[in-house]
Amino acid sequence: MSRHPLCIPHEHSFSRRQFLGGVGASAAAAAAMGTFGGLVQPAVAEDLKKREKQVIFIWLDGGMSQLESWDPKPHTEFGGPFRAIPTSVPDIKVCELLRHTAKQMHHIAVVRSACTQDNSHSAGVARIQRGDPKNRGVDYPFFGGAVAKLLGPCPGGLPPYMWVKPGSGGFIHQDGGFLGAKYGSLALGDGKPPESLLLPPSITATEDTLRNDFRSKLNARYAAKHRKANSEANSYVYDVARELSRRSDLFDETKVSDRDRDRYGRHDLGRHMLLGRRLLESGVRFVKVNSYGWDSHGDNFNASQSLIGKFDQSFAALLEDLSERGMLDHTLVIALSEFGRTPRINSHVGRDHWPEAWSIAMAGCGIKRGIAVGATSERGDVVATEPYDIGHFFHTWFRALGIDPGLEEYDNHGQPLPIAHDGMGPIKDVLA
Amino acid sequence: MTIRTIWVGCAAVFLAASTQLQAASLHEEIDRLIAAKAGMTPLAPACDDATFLRRAYFDFAGRVPRLEETQKFLADAAPDKRTKLIDELLAGPEYPRRMEELFHVVFMERRGDNPEWSKFLRASFEANKPWDQLTREIIHPVADDANKRGAAFFHTRRLEKSGQETTDYPGLTRDIGRLFMGVDLQCAQCHDHLFISDYKQIDFQGLLTVFANTSIKGGDFPAIAEKPAATKLEFASVFKDVKQTTGPRIPFGTEFDVPPATGSAVALVAAALPAPDNRLFVQNAVNRLWFVMMGRGIIHPLDLQHADNPPSHPELLALLSREFVAQKFDIKWLLRELALSATYARSTEVASGEPPPVELFAIGIERRLSAEQLLRSMLIATGDPAETKDETKLVAALTALRPKALKAFANPPKEPEDAYNTTVQEALTLLNDEAFQKLFEVKAASLTERLAKIEDPNQLAEELYLTILVRRPTEEERAEVGKFLTQFVAEAAGKQKVDAVRYLAWALVASTEFSINH
């Protein structure tokens, strides 16, 4: 079959159901070796510290106003009522709504010259989370699916890509794009586990072990006589399912200290961010934490006070914890939305969608600490330095994770596809 | 060679060759062609009787055989018992239901269920409706026949809007191409396909012209309305801004005259597409039926027929096409011939080392079991035979578990179920879901109740394996069962042999072996 980078040979042949099913060699191997057995927490935590890169991707669905967060412009035409406050980094000021985060600024790199394109919600979510590769007629994976594919699952048997979100959960195969469903996400609706997570009370742990041991023997005998792929897939999904069951404490909020709950905040975003940290600690490769409702077309300043206040509290607690636990060295933290918000304040005291000039924050693995890169104009309406589209950010993040977009490419059933926009490159100023 | 150049000659080829095979039956010819292509690659031996029985039941009854059916077949010494089995199953009452379940998934790809659509499919397979007629009735559904009108569900479900999106006419158009001609023209919606030189934008747009004029007609049963096509459709490639126009046409065909205001373009498609001289239509039909029985298309993927994706066995594909036309698209006839071939009966076991390339069909290919096949089999294998033979009771049990079974075993909507796919949710459901654990409950005449009464572990193992996995246990497995019974009672506090039996049955149902048509 001839190759052409612009179109896809048979996208349908990637079944999107196969969440974690088709068993990339590494996943199967990790599961088959069972290296970490039941001792997930301590063994994995140590191992992760040494070598495993992880990501927590905080997605504020809609747009967070850059003027009320990372790029304040007090006392200017569009500046709004809030003050700019100093941070733990001399020369960097942020909006006073980020008062907790300001104390963690020495961990953070903020890029104030994001200039993306789509200003509609329907396009924004996918465009940003896919890194807006050139349109090749295929659905690119979301960032989590890409990382799950490129780095595989961490040891310990948990799925590589988990998504903590308000509302319903399930297996979100779409996030895998053309890579297929196994690179989709396991979504925990309101932090709750997938259906049928827990062993029913009628079955004791001993009984469960005995019945599964018998199943495994039977499977091994079948596998020895047949083509490998199906048997491996079947064993792998059972291993992941049982590991999730074993780690059901992750979904038990009573296991969390009151102090942590207060630090992160008892609101949805706080609870979900805290679960995000615990998932990272348990060895999930990529965690997406989702917050909805960032769309202050009206009453922007009260809305921002509430929304950004929650983000600030939980984000600062997360950075503090990751830093304290030595996890920032191998964990890439990203906080972003679909776009920024218009500098011009509309007649409803709101700010509308503004992809032209906004800010994206990141921290941790491979990222410089305590810097602000790029700048917007005095009024904050345009980027005054080199503008960076989302493709530049994807290049940057891949590099921070040790993945070279110049060398790595996807193989879409024979069709080579770049992992990041091939007309763009990394933002070198933020790379450590 | 392109589709178009082949096109010219294909009618002649069909006419010239459309005589019955003289010397050998079709299934013998199939085996000859498969062996010829395999060359030096050794062909796997036929699978054993138990495996063949299981395979045939899954394929033609949509379930595992019951214990007594298995015992009877294994005890039968007649040399032609496999042929007799196939004929019995094809003539049996379960065949139409199995075909309904199968083609519901093929055509609707888990978009949802509809009783009228089910009725249409069931009636079609009860009557062994020829493939061309079936296709015609789906493409151009008629509203005035209670057994046929449900076919419109194919359209209406796809024409339903989701959220604020516009009606997905391109999706419907694409599916007609994919499912009935084996060509996925998706990329040709916006431009000539970039590396499948056969697929032109006009092939997509010509079909879109037709179906973009259809809409859902409200009412008590699925039905579509069609606006008369008065003008041609104008389109341009996204790459070069050159305007083209097309009237209604089927892919790779010639343009129909735009029908007068009263005429139906859908009717023109329904007449021209499912026709013996439409090579892609015929090949798609035999390729899909081959896939159902053999686990891989001769052209694979099934909807990428084009010059650069040649069939693995061109002669075989031509032969099957010719004979299928000669037999007037008789689905049951073709399935029977496939089932009688040595290729179908081949063992899926890998002798040693690397298995041969899958497209040689030198060893059997493991096939996916649908949610319907799995759920029905679980109920039959674990239940009280008297209950599961009562169709009303069985259907009630199936209906109760169906939503969970679909979540666990089926693909998400719009995904073809054309490969083995297992998921974490499937594992979680079998491991932990209470309703599925209940299948193993010890109650009147259930499998576990019957097994628990068997004193001899050897005998218990025999009945357990025969009922669930449709084979006798090996010596090693018999010993394992005995050991498990002892170990379980020793280790599981306060539990009895009956509990051990429940977990044994569970382990067999949750095994890879059970989940695959091997």
Side-chain angles (χ1 to χ4, degrees), chain B residues 139 176 206-207 210-211 248-250 256 264-274:
Chain B
I139 292 179
I176 299 228
L207 203 54
V210 177
F211 291 99
R249 43 188 279 154
I250 63 169
F256 306 123
S264 161
V266 174
L268 293 175
V269 171
L273 192 152

Side-chain angles (χ1 to χ4, degrees), chain A residues 2 7 9-12 15 17-18 171 195-198 207 211 219 221-222 225-227 230 234, chain B residues 174 187 195 303 348-350 356 366 407-412 420-421 425 431-432 477 480 495 503 512:
Chain A
S2 55
C7 210
H10 34 84
E11 63 91 33
H12 62 278
S15 164
R17 171 177 186 261
Q18 194 178 15
F171 295 93
E195 283 178 41
S196 310
L197 178 78
L198 295 178
E207 291 162 23
R211 68 176 180 157
N219 283 351
R221 213 170 286 121
Y222 182 85
K225 289 199 279 187
H226 291 86
R227 286 189 169 95
N230 294 341
N234 189 273
Chain B
R174 178 191 182 204
C187 294
F195 55 89
D303 50 11
T348 57
E349 293 190 5
V350 179
E366 297 160 280
K407 270 191 190 172
F409 311 128
N411 276 14
Y420 179 75
N421 268 322
Q425 193 59 62
L431 283 162
N432 302 333
E477 286 167 334
E480 239 168 55
K495 293 292 170 76
Y503 291 123
T512 313

Side-chain angles (χ1 to χ4, degrees), chain A residues 25 72 121 134 141 168 171 193 200 220 283 286-287 302 338 354 396 399 420 423:
Chain A
H121 288 294
K134 283 181 188 164
S168 63
F171 295 93
F286 188 105
V287 178
N302 283 317
E338 294 168 48
W354 194 248
T396 309
R399 291 210 179 249

Side-chain angles (χ1 to χ4, degrees), chain A residues 252-413:
Chain A
D252 182 354
E253 288 197 359
T254 64
K255 296 274 196 273
V256 180
S257 72
D258 272 348
R259 181 174 168 272
D260 271 357
R261 282 201 267 182
D262 289 335
R263 286 172 58 241
Y264 279 78
R266 294 186 182 234
H267 40 78
D268 281 358
L269 185 51
R271 288 169 43 239
H272 296 163
M273 196 83 85
L274 180 51
L275 177 57
R277 187 203 82 198
R278 296 165 72 215
L279 290 171
L280 287 175
E281 289 176 293
S282 305
V284 176
R285 175 73 73 184
F286 188 105
V287 178
K288 175 157 76 174
V289 175
N290 210 126
S291 167
Y292 290 109
W294 293 73
D295 209 19
S296 47
H297 292 285
D299 196 18
N300 172 68
F301 301 103
N302 283 317
S304 290
Q305 199 156 17
S306 164
L307 285 166
I308 296 177
K310 290 169 186 162
F311 166 76
D312 172 57
Q313 181 184 14
S314 54
F315 187 61
L318 175 76
L319 286 176
E320 190 182 8
D321 285 355
L322 293 182
S323 164
E324 233 172 46
R325 289 161 163 74
M327 292 170 70
L328 260 189
D329 294 334
H330 65 85
T331 305
L332 175 63
V333 183
I334 298 166
L336 80 170
S337 41
E338 294 168 48
F339 29 63
R341 305 211 74 89
T342 43
R344 184 179 299 280
I345 299 161
N346 67 25
S347 56
H348 303 285
V349 203
R351 296 193 194 268
D352 301 315
H353 304 167
W354 194 248
E356 307 294 329
W358 57 295
S359 304
I360 295 178
M362 61 203 82
C365 175
I367 298 293
K368 275 188 191 155
R369 301 183 179 200
I371 60 161
V373 171
T376 50
S377 63
E378 204 170 315
R379 303 197 312 170
D381 54 346
V382 291
V383 170
T385 56
E386 191 183 342
Y388 294 119
D389 201 345
I390 191 65
H392 294 101
F393 287 89
F394 268 54
H395 274 276
T396 309
W397 298 330
F398 280 134
R399 291 210 179 249
L401 293 169
I403 300 163
D404 184 349
L407 297 176
E408 298 253 10
E409 61 181 13
Y410 297 127
D411 175 2
N412 182 15
H413 276 210

